């Protein structure tokens, strides 16, 4: 969870083994896929236009499937070579405020829809018991045919779970806002 220095590769492997057996830390599974969003959580909606056209959508889809939205410098995704799929456990190592935090989530569902007007591709994942927050995040790219625009969209609901995250609530929220801002910039870089 929280460390004063970056955890060793052995410590990360041990954490991965624990996370693989972990259960979800919240009851509203797939809550980012329906309205209304669960109450009692912070709701964060973030979007950025990535450009125009089907080609940009395909590049955005490739970037999302390669986890490019986590190429931030202060956040490291403990990558697997496997494609994103339901049931996959994901570890994220972040360095903020002089601390390192290691958190575990699990992919819940893939999103691949096209209603003729808008094509969407992405996934949602939910926090496990060994995560500093409690909640869910959805990452999608969208191709809006009516104006040919391509969007990257992040939707999340969360609240602090770890005692340090609760104690340092304003810093925790600041890190979440920073992640959204930097993730949008990472996706813009990935499709340019």
């Amino acid at each position: 969870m929280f460390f004063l220095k970056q955890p060793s590769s052995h410590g990360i492997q041990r954490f991965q083994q624990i996370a693989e057996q972990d259960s979800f830390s919240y009851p509203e599974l797939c809550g980012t896929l329906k309205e209304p969003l669960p109450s009692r959580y912070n709701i964060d909606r973030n979007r950025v236009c990535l450009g125009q056209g089907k080609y940009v959508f395909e590049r955005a889809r490739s970037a999302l499937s390669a986890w490019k939205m986590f190429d931030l410098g202060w956040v490291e995704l403990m990558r697997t070579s496997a494609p994103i799929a339901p049931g996959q456990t994901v570890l994220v190592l972040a360095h903020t405020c002089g601390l390192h935090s290691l958190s575990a989530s699990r992919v819940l569902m893939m999103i691949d829809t096209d209603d003729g007007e808008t094509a969407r591709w992405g996934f949602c994942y939910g926090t496990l018991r060994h995560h500093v927050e409690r909640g869910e995040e959805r990452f999608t790219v969208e191709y809006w045919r009516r104006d040919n625009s391509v969007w990257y969209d992040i939707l999340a609901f969360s609240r602090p779970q770890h005692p340090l995250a609760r104690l340092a609530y304003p810093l925790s929220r600041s890190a979440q806002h920073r992640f959204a801002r930097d993730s949008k910039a990472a996706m813009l870089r990935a499709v340019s």
Side-chain angles (χ1 to χ4, degrees), residues 53-54 57-58 61 110-122 140-146 148-149:
K54 185 76 168 161
F57 177 67
E58 291 306 325
R61 188 176 157 150
M110 298 303 297
I111 300 157
D112 190 2
T113 63
D114 191 337
D115 63 9
E117 223 173 275
T118 305
R120 284 183 182 84
W121 191 89
T140 56
V141 290
E142 305 169 349
Y143 175 43
W144 291 74
R145 289 186 182 89
R146 72 174 174 253
N148 208 31
S149 63

Side-chain angles (χ1 to χ4, degrees), residues 2 11 20 24 49 90 102 106 114 126 132 153 161 169 171:
F2 282 102
E20 292 291 346
F24 289 99
C49 184
V90 179
L102 190 57
R106 185 165 296 128
D114 191 337
V132 298
D153 185 83
Q161 176 168 261
Y169 178 75
L171 294 174

Side-chain angles (χ1 to χ4, degrees), residues 2-3 99 160-169 172:
F2 282 102
F3 307 90
L99 292 175
Q161 176 168 261
H162 190 277
L164 279 179
R166 287 194 301 268
L167 183 64
Y169 178 75
S172 187

